[in-house]
Amino acid sequence: MSYETATDGPDLARARGSKKRTRIQAENEERILDAALEVFSRYGFRGATVDQIAERAGMSKPNLLYYFRRKHDLYTAVLTRTLDMWLAPLGDMTEDGDPESELTGYIRQKLEQSRDFPHESRLFIGEVLLGAPHLDSVLKTDLKSIVEEKAGVIRRWIEEGKLIDVDPVHLIFMIWATTQHYADFDAQVRSVLGRGVEDPTTFRAASDTVIGVLMRGILPTRD
Amino acid sequence: MSYETATDGPDLARARGSKKRTRIQAENEERILDAALEVFSRYGFRGATVDQIAERAGMSKPNLLYYFRRKHDLYTAVLTRTLDMWLAPLGDMTEDGDPESELTGYIRQKLEQSRDFPHESRLFIGEVLLGAPHLDSVLKTDLKSIVEEKAGVIRRWIEEGKLIDVDPVHLIFMIWATTQHYADFDAQVRSVLGRGVEDPTTFRAASDTVIGVLMRGILPTRD
DNA sequence: GAAGAATTTGTCCGGATGGTCAGAAGCTCG
DNA sequence: CGAGCTTCTGACCATCCGGACAAATTCTTC
């Protein structure tokens, strides 16, 4: 005879319809997600262990598993939370306002993201590296559509003669690549420069160079 | 009583001084390294299993371990082999010849590398992502020195007025980032475009955009 | 063609790790 | 203050995986 009063954990309970989150739940889930982000981004999905995450979150493994029943659930949760933030700056880029300041602003935001949220960036690239098995569908829908939308904006700027003729999608790729580089390849950057982007001097040089070269590369000549 | 005629495996034998490699050794080590590259680049060090690599190499796990006694040895071997190739194009860039064709050539080579050897590129980034534990020392010596050398070349070009004033090291980072993006973020590129760089049209658009924007971004105006 | 070395395999081991489970402890609210 | 729910834990299990080993098989060489 099984123990009748036992529950199935907060996730399942909520999945069944009860929508309340207790104070303890909210706190712990937050702590767990933060810990998971750090560990997953550093060691990858397989490299991370549940014990490790639990320890960093300051709780026992079974207790962590009480909140997220499978390692995989936890990973997905962190990933989803991250993707939203990752995409946010692109959404800010609007057709009003001139291309120069819009694009410069976007690039700067991405660089700041790399500096301030390297874990998120690395978590994301780690997933993509593995072929994006957990968010393939999201990439093919959400990501694709926002890229297409913004590519449209850029294309209109080009038509108006405000930018030289470049492939908008590849331009976006270039922006992503050059900005994320400072988070994703942190170890490499650090080996060569002796410091990472968190160093103000490095950040300055990086943003001047990236913004300088990219903008010069796409703005019409008018010197 | 142990089996007296048993050997210690080819690697150890060679490490002890005997320099011969049998035909079988050469063939198998090659097969193993190829298999290891594919598996490691796809799943990362921890994600890859020795069984998996052995299977792909068409041999049993103990037999693979006969050639590389530890998973870690195998990983290091693949990584070293890869790093050399990864750095090669940069070495080709020489101070003679004009900056435009030298840099354009370099960028094109890196793009071709991304297209033709994506596994190598991904293996490398996977390692860097994890903080480059296995090749930290190599990065801090070999990589650092070649980057500094080439930064010097670029700096001289700038002094001669052949390039605009940019930070050479960050420029090199930009080139690496934009070119490797097509290998490392393959899954993302594919989600957005529906095809990867192996597609000639995509490759064309990518190289036109990357080379176009970067070169326009650093060459002095003369329109 | 046989001695001896190189290569290959089946089997096994121990540690790590994801996940389970029964119950203990803590909260909350009447 | 105590019933009933939520939260937490120690102990445990099954599986996966790197690696060891002894012996079988295949090469090489004389």
Side-chain angles (χ1 to χ4, degrees), chain A residues 33 68 71-82 123:
Chain A
L33 286 173
F68 297 88
K71 184 187 185 183
H72 184 278
D73 295 346
L74 178 51
Y75 183 67
T76 307
V78 183
L79 213 48
T80 308
R81 192 211 217 183
T82 297
L123 177 77

Side-chain angles (χ1 to χ4, degrees), chain A residues 139-152:
Chain A
L139 293 188
K140 289 202 172 100
T141 55
D142 299 7
L143 180 74
K144 187 168 156 54
S145 71
I146 190 167
V147 168
E148 279 167 2
E149 182 201 328
K150 297 308 173 181

Side-chain angles (χ1 to χ4, degrees), chain B residues 4-156:
Chain B
E4 290 299 335
T5 60
T7 64
D8 290 313
D11 51 335
L12 241 208
R14 246 172 295 132
R16 264 202 310 268
S18 80
K19 307 206 165 53
K20 285 171 259 178
R21 260 167 67 121
T22 68
R23 174 184 51 87
I24 294 180
Q25 262 171 53
E27 282 175 16
N28 281 348
E29 285 175 6
E30 191 67 20
R31 293 228 317 279
I32 293 172
L33 286 172
D34 288 347
L37 171 64
E38 284 186 47
V39 178
F40 280 135
S41 69
R42 185 162 200 154
Y43 302 101
F45 179 71
R46 290 207 50 176
T49 73
V50 176
D51 279 293
Q52 210 178 354
I53 299 171
E55 192 189 341
R56 193 166 216 119
M59 66 183 65
S60 65
K61 176 172 70 168
N63 198 23
L64 185 154
L65 260 351
Y66 169 73
Y67 290 98
F68 296 89
R69 313 202 32 213
R70 327 223 137 241
K71 184 188 186 184
H72 185 278
D73 296 345
L74 179 52
Y75 183 66
T76 307
V78 183
L79 212 48
T80 308
R81 191 212 217 185
T82 296
L83 186 62
D84 292 342
M85 132 182 265
W86 195 84
L87 281 178
L90 190 52
D92 291 354
M93 200 176 69
T94 151
E95 194 160 356
D96 326 329
D98 69 318
E100 176 160 11
S101 59
E102 289 294 321
L103 283 168
T104 301
Y106 177 54
I107 296 171
R108 190 179 307 279
Q109 271 192 75
K110 291 294 288 178
L111 279 167
E112 284 164 2
Q113 243 185 26
S114 269
R115 180 192 58 190
D116 302 334
F117 306 98
H119 294 311
E120 281 82 350
S121 186
R122 270 178 243 142
L123 177 76
F124 187 54
I125 197 200
E127 168 67 10
V128 174
L129 247 195
L130 266 55
H134 298 84
L135 38 79
D136 199 50
S137 58
V138 190
L139 293 188
K140 290 203 172 99
T141 56
D142 299 7
L143 180 75
K144 186 169 157 54
S145 70
I146 191 167
V147 168
E148 280 169 0
E149 183 201 327
K150 298 307 174 182
V153 172
I154 294 175
R155 201 168 285 118
R156 251 159 279 139

Side-chain angles (χ1 to χ4, degrees), chain A residues 182-200:
Chain A
Y182 292 94
D184 303 339
F185 287 80
D186 176 67
Q188 197 185 68
V189 170
R190 212 169 284 275
S191 296
V192 173
L193 292 178
R195 334 178 267 281
V197 252
E198 76 289 343
D199 175 88

